[in-house]
Amino acid sequence: MIIGFHEKKEKRLLTLSFYVAGLFVFVALGFALITHSGAILFDGIYSLIAFFMALLTLKVANLVQMPDDDRFHFGYTAIEPTLNLFKSLIIIATCLYAVVGSITSLLTGGNSAEYGLAMIYGAIATIGCFAISAYMKHQSSSLRSDLVGVDARTWFVDGVLSVSILLGFALAYFIEQTRFSAYAPLVDPILLILLGTAILPIPGKIMLDSLKEVINKAPPEAVTAVIEKKLKQTLVAVPYEHVEVRISKRGRDLYILVHIIVDESFSVATISELDDIRISCEAAMREWDPSIIMDILFIKDARLAG
């Protein structure tokens, strides 16, 4: 089954993210060499990771549009949360590495930097990262794309890094003008420690959400209850004793397996009548939420739904 939604818009957003990430790599690494700042170097490495992840994301965006085949009977959408899980783990590892390196730097006296130039970089990077994050978040509001959503959050994390760099180096620049200038080199590693630990919850949440999809965990009960209520509204003309619903989210798809346990009054003359019920039910559900994919089974013995 082909996934029908705004795939061109998704690819356009991801391509934009790819090129902007590439630009930020050159800008960040260039400023890191000039200013000798570990915090800017960390930001540049983060941008480099974002660049390669954007390249991989574009490939995955093409894959998830493909129909199911002999190799992937349920399509390629499961690759989406797998990629997001991988992204989050890379970001977490980068943050932890930066924190450990900064602690070592702090214990050896800190790291001096060109704070004036570092502030210029912080201003440019802050505006750029938050702008691209806000743009992608706004443009993705009509898309069923976790890839774009995670990319927007990744840029937001980069923006937090950049604004922290700006504020930190503004503080260091001020300290350098005072009699406490000997403490200015401590700002860079302290800033990096604070940055690395502060942003960990964001990739941590992405990791947990993606892991739930990878292992096929059901959505929260509040979500499943709404889906079940809507489903039963589409079955008002069907005499049944009970409806057993199993739900799993795989990337942009919400898969629903429905066992309708019919009662004694349920009767059909042909299989086509069952098909009509299935078609009507799925059409109503997909009109409510286009991400839904359904399989509906009619049974009499409740044990078969266990």
Side-chain angles (χ1 to χ4, degrees):
M1 183 182 63
I2 298 175
I3 308 298
F5 83 116
H6 307 298
E7 60 271 8
K8 288 185 178 179
K9 184 176 182 180
E10 179 189 48
K11 291 176 184 177
R12 178 172 58 81
L13 289 170
L14 294 175
T15 301
L16 173 65
S17 177
F18 171 73
Y19 284 118
V20 174
L23 176 63
F24 267 79
V25 170
F26 286 106
V27 172
L29 294 181
F31 269 93
L33 288 173
I34 296 172
T35 61
H36 310 291
S37 167
I40 295 179
L41 180 61
F42 172 65
D43 200 28
I45 293 173
Y46 184 92
S47 297
L48 185 62
I49 292 170
F51 175 76
F52 285 111
M53 289 296 102
L55 183 62
L56 189 56
T57 300
L58 278 171
K59 176 63 177 176
V60 170
N62 289 325
L63 281 176
V64 296
Q65 305 300 331
M66 296 173 62
D68 46 33
D69 54 31
D70 291 338
R71 293 172 59 204
F72 292 86
H73 292 183
F74 294 95
Y76 290 80
T77 53
I79 297 176
E80 193 169 1
T82 305
L83 173 63
N84 290 334
L85 176 62
F86 178 65
K87 273 185 177 181
S88 63
L89 290 173
I90 290 293
I91 294 172
I92 289 171
T94 303
C95 291
L96 292 176
Y97 178 80
V99 169
V100 172
S102 297
I103 292 173
T104 303
S105 175
L106 192 62
L107 294 175
T108 56
N111 178 47
S112 296
E114 296 289 339
Y115 303 119
L117 288 173
M119 284 192 293
I120 294 174
Y121 167 79
I124 295 172
T126 296
I127 294 170
C129 291
F130 281 136
I132 189 68
S133 175
Y135 178 74
M136 292 189 71
K137 184 176 181 181
H138 174 72
Q139 291 293 315
S140 68
S141 58
S142 61
L143 298 179
R144 295 189 295 110
S145 175
D146 287 346
L147 293 176
V148 175
V150 168
D151 230 35
R153 279 184 282 175
T154 301
W155 279 110
F156 180 81
V157 170
D158 207 355
V160 172
L161 286 174
S162 299
V163 73
S164 301
I165 287 171
L166 175 61
L167 295 176
F169 285 130
L171 175 62
Y173 183 80
F174 172 76
I175 292 175
E176 201 173 39
Q177 312 307 313
T178 70
R179 59 192 179 91
F180 301 104
S181 58
Y183 295 101
L186 300 179
V187 172
D188 191 52
I190 290 175
L191 179 62
L192 199 43
I193 292 170
L194 293 175
L195 290 177
T197 53
I199 67 174
L200 276 175
I202 297 177
K205 185 179 185 304
I206 295 173
M207 179 189 70
L208 292 176
D209 290 343
S210 301
L211 183 60
K212 290 175 184 177
E213 295 185 24
V214 169
I215 64 176
N216 239 12
K217 184 178 180 180
E221 188 174 346
V223 175
T224 59
V226 173
I227 294 172
E228 288 186 27
K229 181 180 179 181
K230 182 65 180 179
L231 175 66
K232 289 178 180 178
Q233 290 174 355
T234 69
L235 297 172
V236 290
V238 179
Y240 63 83
E241 292 181 359
H242 178 64
V243 176
E244 185 70 33
V245 182
R246 288 181 172 85
I247 304 169
S248 70
K249 184 177 182 299
R250 295 193 302 261
R252 65 198 64 195
D253 289 341
L254 196 63
Y255 177 69
I256 305 176
L257 174 62
V258 183
H259 287 88
I260 300 177
I261 305 166
V262 299
D263 64 20
E264 296 293 344
S265 64
F266 182 82
S267 176
V268 292
T270 66
I271 297 297
S272 295
E273 292 180 50
L274 295 179
D275 288 344
D276 290 339
I277 297 173
R278 291 187 181 99
I279 292 170
S280 174
C281 178
E282 184 165 5
M285 292 297 290
R286 286 183 63 83
E287 183 178 358
W288 174 64
D289 185 346
S291 68
I292 288 176
I293 298 173
M294 295 178 62
D295 280 321
I296 302 176
L297 303 177
F298 297 88
I299 58 175
K300 184 66 182 72
D301 190 338
R303 291 175 299 179
L304 295 175

